Amino acid sequence: MPAQLHTENLSLKIGHQQLLENINVSLHPGEVVALIGPNGAGKSTLLRTLTGFQPPTSGQVLLKGKDLTRWSSESLSRLRAVMRQQSTMAFSWCVEDVIAMGRAPWPSDNTNHVVNQVMALTGCDALKGRDFSRLSGGEQQRVQLARALAQLWHDDIPQGWLFLDEPTSALDLYHQQHILRLLKRLAKMGALSVCVVLHDLNLAALWSDRIILLHKGRVVADGTPDHVLDEQTLQRWYQADLRVLRHPDHPVPQVLLEQ
Ligand SMILES: Nc1ncnc2c1ncn2[C@@H]1O[C@H](COP(=O)(O)OP(=O)(O)OP(=O)(O)O)[C@@H](O)[C@H]1O
Ligand SMILES: [Mg+2]
């Protein structure tokens, strides 16, 4: 059975609203996939469904060939981690404890080792000992990413499926680049599949292997950055005035808005 996560004719209807319609996508280890689309397209909803938090009303999500609803929550939490679009903490937790929460599915003997490793990778070292609730928005995002990575850390590498909902929305340029370079490098190690919701199409162009474009709950494009970030395709689905140019240093498209 191929090590992959895929959907078969997945649909979700809540009340009269068709939130997802006939979605067929697959996510493979080694790959960074960007999920893009206008506000309200269904990106966060699809992430909730792909991760087992929102069962579909028809169709299915298969992980390693087995329907997601048939996985125990413990086995599932060792295989997939999620960083949500909004996350709040009701209590005061220090940064290391928030990251260590990601280790809940695993034996506790190497918790400190893994927490230290992911803190170093995500640039959270300087936040050691700080109260999570008092961190800036971007600092909180980096800690949440470290927590999600800690959850998938196994035999000294991240393994499984990592889902991130707009993980760079509060990050400055340095940290956007740092985090996307990191995700790409970790995926290329071969055992991790990254599925990341991004509004910044230029980040998606630079660091994703594949882009899935959602519009009103349907997949309207799925392919390489060059295929999906096409001027007509983007104008049609985003209804924005824009140009698509080549990056001067890399063989990828870059999107510019018209004034
Ligand atoms: N539980 C629900 N019941 C009814 N409608 C919902 C529910 N959850 C989401 N929706 C609606 O589904 C649509 C898709 O929402 P979703 O949050 O998935 O969009 P999104 O693509 O992530 O948008 P954004 O870019 O703004 O984050 C929206 O119109 C939203 O109002
Ligand atoms: Mg969303």
Side-chain angles (χ1 to χ4, degrees):
M1 192 54 67
Q4 64 161 6
L5 187 151
H6 73 282
T7 66
E8 288 182 353
N9 301 327
L10 180 147
S11 295
L12 174 67
K13 197 171 179 179
I14 297 184
H16 293 295
Q17 233 186 321
Q18 189 76 46
L19 302 189
L20 299 172
E21 195 172 351
N22 221 21
I23 305 249
N24 291 291
V25 292
S26 56
L27 302 171
H28 309 269
E31 218 187 14
V32 176
V33 173
L35 202 53
I36 66 166
N39 292 138
K43 304 178 296 297
S44 298
T45 306
L46 179 57
L47 231 58
R48 277 201 300 282
T49 311
L50 290 175
T51 49
F53 291 99
Q54 171 70 62
T57 40
S58 65
Q60 53 184 348
V61 183
L62 293 147
L63 174 59
K64 296 187 175 186
K66 183 166 128 183
D67 194 298
L68 214 54
T69 56
R70 294 178 49 224
W71 284 81
S72 72
S73 62
E74 195 190 18
S75 310
L76 201 55
S77 58
R78 290 178 177 208
L79 272 179
R80 66 95 182 87
V82 194
M83 176 182 162
R84 292 199 172 71
Q85 194 169 0
Q86 281 114 13
S87 60
T88 49
M89 293 269 162
F91 304 102
S92 278
W93 291 86
C94 81
V95 163
E96 299 91 296
D97 289 347
V98 172
I99 298 171
M101 283 177 196
R103 295 306 292 167
W106 301 96
S108 58
D109 40 343
N110 67 348
T111 299
N112 286 342
H113 174 63
V114 173
V115 169
N116 287 335
Q117 257 183 311
V118 298
M119 285 184 79
L121 285 173
T122 51
C124 288
D125 272 344
L127 305 176
K128 219 168 221 170
R130 300 270 304 274
D131 178 343
F132 177 83
S133 64
R134 294 185 184 276
L135 298 180
S136 75
E139 290 167 340
Q140 289 193 355
Q141 262 185 341
R142 273 152 49 211
V143 172
Q144 289 293 358
L145 174 65
R147 181 195 54 75
L149 277 176
Q151 190 180 330
L152 296 180
W153 219 260
H154 191 46
D155 292 338
D156 268 340
I157 56 165
Q159 305 189 40
W161 284 264
L162 177 63
F163 293 89
L164 309 164
D165 201 344
E166 299 192 37
T168 55
S169 60
L171 299 187
D172 61 47
L173 287 178
Y174 172 84
H175 287 103
Q176 289 176 19
Q177 187 180 49
H178 180 80
I179 292 304
L180 281 155
R181 280 177 172 169
L182 171 69
L183 293 172
K184 182 85 175 187
R185 185 160 58 82
L186 295 176
K188 287 297 154 235
M189 292 168 87
L192 182 74
S193 166
V194 177
C195 177
V196 54
V197 175
L198 288 172
H199 274 301
D200 188 328
L201 305 185
N202 294 331
L203 297 183
L206 279 162
W207 283 291
S208 58
D209 299 297
R210 193 152 57 86
I211 299 181
I212 296 171
L213 169 56
L214 273 185
H215 183 265
K216 293 191 177 166
R218 291 189 306 119
V219 173
V220 292
D222 181 350
T224 61
D226 263 328
H227 173 73
V228 177
L229 302 181
D230 161 77
E231 207 165 88
Q232 283 182 353
T233 305
L234 294 179
Q235 279 168 353
R236 173 174 181 195
W237 299 112
Y238 281 90
Q239 297 282 305
D241 294 326
L242 51 83
R243 297 276 310 279
V244 176
L245 308 177
R246 300 304 288 173
H247 191 293
D249 299 326
H250 304 286
V252 297
Q254 292 286 283
V255 182
L256 294 183
L257 289 177
E258 294 284 12
Q259 207 170 26

